[in-house]
Amino acid sequence: MSIVNGNEIFAAARKGHYAVGAFNINNLEWTRSILAAAQETNTPILVQTSMGAGKYMGGYELCLNLVQQTVKSMGITVPVIMHLDHGNYEAAKECIEVGYTSVMFDGHDLPFEENLEKTKEIVALAHAKNISVEAEVGSIGGEEDGIIGEGELADVEEAKKIAATGVDYLACGIGNIHGKYPANWKGLHFDRLKELAAEISTPLVLHGGSGIPKEQIQKAISLGVSKVNVNTECQLAFADATRKYIEAGKDLEGKGYDPRKLLAPGAQAITDVVKERIDWFGTPSVK
Ligand code: 13P
């Protein structure tokens, strides 16, 4: 199966009341671990690069080539969507040029009319090449310079206008936060999600999927969320497994310092997290 766009996969997810996971990659291990989880569960998957990860890995073309070649060399047969996560206008255009099959244009910090206009432009450019588009309304909270923001709830009227541009999936702020959730987090705003889902048939996206209790994620999916983004959870699992390996002194035994050995427990931990999340999301097997 070659790399595909997200249109049919996420439209089917919204109809079927399940979600498909979107997982961020950082390097070869991350890419292999996430793809392995999808193959082992025989489910579609979305692999995404943030702008930072794209820069870290050496550019979007390299990221796309990495995923394409890894899909080929691992003999991956499930559908894989190659997506830009939280792209600005320039990054979204670049990924459309390079050949990603899906891009997020995140204009939430622009004045609304500008977000709307730029989303329209990206939709026109992407759809001309059969590439899917995600946009964002409201904002996803998170930690910035030590200050934890709650995020801004998506306004239903604004969300309707962005959905009308023809975006294929829509990220809405509903109290979700990137990174670790603070102890006093109030939980997802299900009332706002219900209002949004009642007005918009576009598949909805839940960012900040790490650390949200399973019951809340599953409730959000039952109400119209079709794509759940997970990043921090994989990073924590990787760091934890790697720390355990080193603290157990395994890098000092024989050739335990070989990166192929040293990174293996962390890589397996990522696969385990992704498989567990696929189960939570109810993603059905590919026939
Ligand atoms: P987390 O890192 O909180 O899982 O968020 C991931 C995300 O939403 C990427 O866009």
Side-chain angles (χ1 to χ4, degrees), residues 22 24 48 50 85-86 104 134 140 176-181 205-211 227-235:
N24 292 68
Q48 57 189 8
S50 62
D85 187 29
H86 291 288
M104 176 180 191
E134 175 178 346
I140 318 299
N176 39 334
I177 295 175
H178 285 129
K180 287 185 181 176
Y181 281 77
V205 185
L206 181 66
H207 281 248
S210 300
K227 173 176 182 275
V228 183
N229 284 17
V230 178
N231 183 25
T232 303
E233 206 90 65
C234 292
Q235 297 184 345

